Amino acid sequence: MSIRENVAAIRARVDAAAIESGRKPEDILLVAATKMNDADRVKEAVAAGVDACGENRVQELLEKHPKGAYEGKPVHFIGHLQTNKVKQIVGLVDLIQSVDSEALLQKIDAQAEKHGIVQDILIEVNIGDEEAKSGVSPEALPALLEKASAYSHLRVRGLMAIPPISREPGGNNVYFCAMYKLFIDIGAKKYDNVSMDFLSMGMSDDFEDAIRCGANMVRVGSSIFGARHYA
Ligand SMILES: *Cc1c(COP(=O)(O)O)cnc(C)c1O
């Protein structure tokens, strides 16, 4: 199957899951997780109509961006972000999905101020409380949002999560539902500078479950580009 055919097939499944859960297909954003795919393949996905591209590594983003890989669509940063790499991506990406510490907030805000922009971000939540994973714990999320609301050059647009690897179909629904609850609760609290516009969760194996639980942004890689071959 070509990238174009894969995107069409995924889009059809996204649309069906949206309708099933009482929402409009156009309310769900399909982000292509483009890691390990070169600029030409990314361009194919953009031409096939994904809503945005998501990169994991700063190095890959910096290689593909000058080649026009993302032209015509927003590009998001979705991988683990080190504070010392912040300055390389602020202003270059439309959304940083993986912010999970005050140190990152501070660096992003400072860099955005230099550029004279307001950087959109999502807060990544470690919803499975996994030790080795990035993301703020659900318990620490309110305090981090309080901090975020004090910065004027960034804006929190929602939440992102990468739940534990699931062994069975539907295995992540409990995490997806917990994320949706956080998303709704925070939305009702009205912090300054914080709006719950995007709930980013769901990947190739479980994006339909995520949508049914309330995701409005899914990040799909291997089902669009094929399996990744790690060296
Ligand atoms: C790779 C990746 C995805 C997509 O994973 P697939 O299983 O290939 O769809 C989504 N989100 C993040 C943060 C990723 O790194």
Side-chain angles (χ1 to χ4, degrees):
M1 294 269 272
S2 67
I3 290 172
R4 174 171 294 279
E5 289 167 317
N6 288 341
V7 169
I10 299 289
R11 180 70 79 180
R13 289 169 59 191
V14 165
D15 291 358
I19 289 164
E20 217 179 292
S21 53
R23 286 177 299 157
K24 297 197 205 84
E26 62 267 30
D27 292 343
I28 315 290
L29 297 177
L30 172 58
V31 179
T34 48
K35 58 177 173 276
M36 299 177 70
N37 286 279
D38 64 18
D40 285 339
R41 290 172 63 77
V42 176
K43 282 181 193 173
E44 277 185 59
V46 167
V50 299
D51 295 305
C53 295
E55 281 294 353
N56 273 76
R57 292 161 139 261
V58 171
Q59 190 56 40
E60 277 194 56
L61 178 76
L62 297 180
E63 275 167 30
K64 292 177 225 179
H65 197 278
K67 295 178 180 160
Y70 320 110
E71 229 161 78
K73 293 293 172 183
V75 59
H76 299 176
F77 189 78
I78 62 174
H80 177 66
L81 182 58
Q82 292 167 278
T83 48
N84 63 357
K85 302 239 166 109
V86 163
K87 61 176 177 299
Q88 297 177 277
I89 68 165
V90 166
L92 195 64
V93 300
D94 298 279
L95 183 69
I96 303 174
Q97 294 205 10
S98 42
V99 179
D100 63 357
S101 70
E102 197 187 354
L104 277 176
L105 290 175
Q106 191 265 321
K107 284 273 196 298
I108 291 167
D109 185 78
Q111 199 59 33
E113 181 168 17
K114 274 191 206 165
H115 288 271
I117 60 163
V118 175
Q119 176 71 61
D120 280 348
I121 64 169
L122 303 183
I123 302 295
E124 180 176 353
V125 181
N126 183 358
I127 195 65
D129 266 320
E130 293 172 282
E131 229 166 81
K133 267 223 184 118
S134 309
V136 63
S137 71
E139 295 72 34
L141 178 61
L144 191 61
L145 290 169
E146 288 286 350
K147 302 272 194 223
S149 61
Y151 291 103
S152 53
H153 292 86
L154 56 79
R155 190 168 48 164
V156 178
R157 301 293 306 276
L159 305 177
M160 182 270 235
I162 308 172
I165 291 169
S166 166
R167 301 276 166 225
E168 76 253 44
N172 275 335
N173 287 355
V174 58
Y175 299 114
F176 292 146
C177 290
M179 283 299 300
Y180 185 67
K181 186 170 184 312
L182 286 175
F183 182 73
I184 294 299
D185 289 350
I186 293 159
K189 274 190 195 143
K190 307 216 185 309
Y191 298 85
D192 284 344
N193 254 351
V194 174
S195 56
M196 287 293 114
D197 301 316
F198 303 118
L199 179 57
S200 173
M201 56 187 192
M203 318 202 292
S204 288
D205 288 338
D206 55 17
F207 65 88
E208 288 151 308
D209 288 337
I211 291 168
R212 287 187 210 106
C213 291
N216 61 11
M217 183 179 278
V218 294
R219 310 175 309 268
V220 178
S222 48
S223 290
I224 290 177
F225 296 106
R228 291 177 293 274
H229 299 288
Y230 292 92

